[in-house]
Amino acid sequence: MRKPIIAGNWKMNKTVQEACILVDALKKGLSDVRDVEIVVCPPFTALRDVGKAINGTNIHLGAQNVYLEEKGPYTGEISPLMLKDLGCKYVIIGHSERRRYFGEDNELINKKVRKSLSCGLSPILCVGERLEERKAGRQEEVVYDHVVNGLTDLSKEDMMQVVIAYEPVWAIGTGVAATPEDAQEMHKFIRNILSSLHDRDLAEGVRIQYGGSVKPENISDLMAKSEIDGVLVGGASLNADSFVKIVRFKRRG
Ligand code: PGA
């Protein structure tokens, strides 16, 4: 059984003080949750304080990006060892905003994935097609490319640490989420890719999140799908009330 994983990607939001207020409210609202793995991904500047606040709780720490070297002359970059040092368990890699605004390609993303794993971090690898690609019917081709090339040269042990987030770019921040059926279909497709790269057992163990306009209103329908093992939440994770509601989604059936 795959334990659901629900992560909040705060993106470039929250001062340290605001981050601490938010995480305090999440601690209060979620302290009894045991059946969902909860992750918050604050900006780098708030990682230390948020990490201290959630130390020993059921909320885990994640970062939103990482560099592909452990240390050295890379002005402005943050290494996986530094994230580990702050208590991070997860790191988001290859988010569509990084692909789009910072020119990150699969090769760079794969290097980040591999270095993070070697430093003991679990990558949340984001994959997903843009609107024009979906309109052209190329969504599977694009997702295949992101998955296969993002996960090149990973051992089975490495693969078990990876979380994949399927985030169709047209659904991110738009209020228009993928339908649970469309997400389910793409998650199945991704699981089949993992199966062909490794084997069925391994593929069945990897968690695949959906991301893109997840809200308290659509979480239950998404989570009702057998292939959806959690969600990556942007906008709705910035508000304690809505993130608590998402984590506490009502089970269907
Ligand atoms: P959204 O963002 O929930 O605001 O659509 C999701 C994401 O970018 O991870």
Side-chain angles (χ1 to χ4, degrees):
M1 267 306 280
R2 301 181 292 265
K3 183 171 185 175
I5 175 168
I6 297 190
N9 172 10
W10 298 359
K11 306 194 180 181
M12 198 176 71
N13 295 290
K14 306 287 178 191
T15 61
V16 172
Q17 196 187 8
E18 290 164 349
C20 289
I21 292 170
L22 174 55
V23 83
D24 277 341
L26 297 180
K27 267 163 62 178
K28 290 196 184 85
L30 298 171
S31 61
D32 60 326
V33 173
R34 291 283 168 271
D35 51 356
V36 172
E37 188 171 357
I38 308 163
V39 183
V40 290
C41 304
F44 287 133
T45 46
L47 279 175
R48 188 160 190 268
D49 290 73
V50 169
K52 278 188 178 171
I54 59 180
N55 190 21
T57 72
N58 58 339
I59 304 178
H60 299 282
L61 192 63
Q64 299 172 19
N65 183 29
V66 66
Y67 193 57
L68 49 82
E69 296 287 354
E70 290 177 15
K71 63 177 180 177
Y74 304 101
T75 303
E77 292 300 316
I78 308 275
S79 95
L81 285 181
M82 294 167 178
L83 297 179
K84 195 68 191 155
D85 188 39
L86 290 177
C88 287
K89 180 172 183 196
Y90 291 97
V91 58
I92 298 170
I93 299 181
H95 190 280
S96 65
E97 286 150 15
R98 302 239 29 114
R99 293 179 192 259
R100 176 172 174 201
Y101 302 126
F102 303 97
E104 294 199 6
D105 60 13
N106 289 326
E107 195 186 331
L108 177 85
I109 288 165
N110 178 246
K111 287 183 181 154
K112 292 184 172 193
V113 165
R114 284 189 287 143
K115 185 58 84 176
S116 296
L117 284 163
S118 77
C119 294
L121 289 170
S122 289
I124 299 178
L125 172 69
C126 299
V127 304
E129 80 284 0
R130 291 179 281 134
L131 183 60
E132 58 272 29
E133 292 163 337
R134 178 159 279 257
K135 279 189 175 155
R138 293 184 50 229
Q139 63 271 22
E140 292 196 342
E141 180 192 326
V142 171
V143 168
Y144 183 88
D145 178 55
H146 287 175
V147 171
V148 171
N149 294 311
L151 298 176
T152 300
D153 284 338
L154 261 60
S155 67
K156 273 192 182 181
E157 290 67 36
D158 283 342
M159 275 305 305
M160 321 254 272
Q161 304 306 317
V162 172
V163 176
I164 297 177
Y166 169 55
E167 300 205 299
V169 179
W170 46 268
I172 296 178
T174 59
V176 185
T179 64
E181 291 69 29
D182 282 349
Q184 167 88 347
E185 200 176 310
M186 189 59 91
H187 286 214
K188 256 191 205 158
F189 177 71
I190 293 170
R191 210 174 295 287
N192 286 336
I193 302 172
L194 300 179
S195 180
S196 69
L197 291 176
H198 295 273
D199 59 61
R200 197 72 227 170
D201 262 11
L202 180 131
E204 290 296 338
V206 174
R207 291 178 296 181
I208 307 176
Q209 297 175 306
Y210 166 77
S213 296
V214 174
K215 302 174 268 228
E217 294 74 33
N218 58 17
I219 181 71
S220 292
D221 289 338
L222 287 162
M223 292 301 292
K225 294 293 179 193
S226 58
E227 296 293 329
I228 301 183
D229 307 316
V231 287
L232 182 55
V233 189
S237 72
L238 295 173
N239 174 278
D241 243 32
S242 60
F243 193 66
V244 166
K245 279 188 186 135
I246 289 170
V247 174
R248 292 183 168 286
F249 68 95
K250 296 235 172 1
R251 268 83 177 155
R252 299 245 192 270

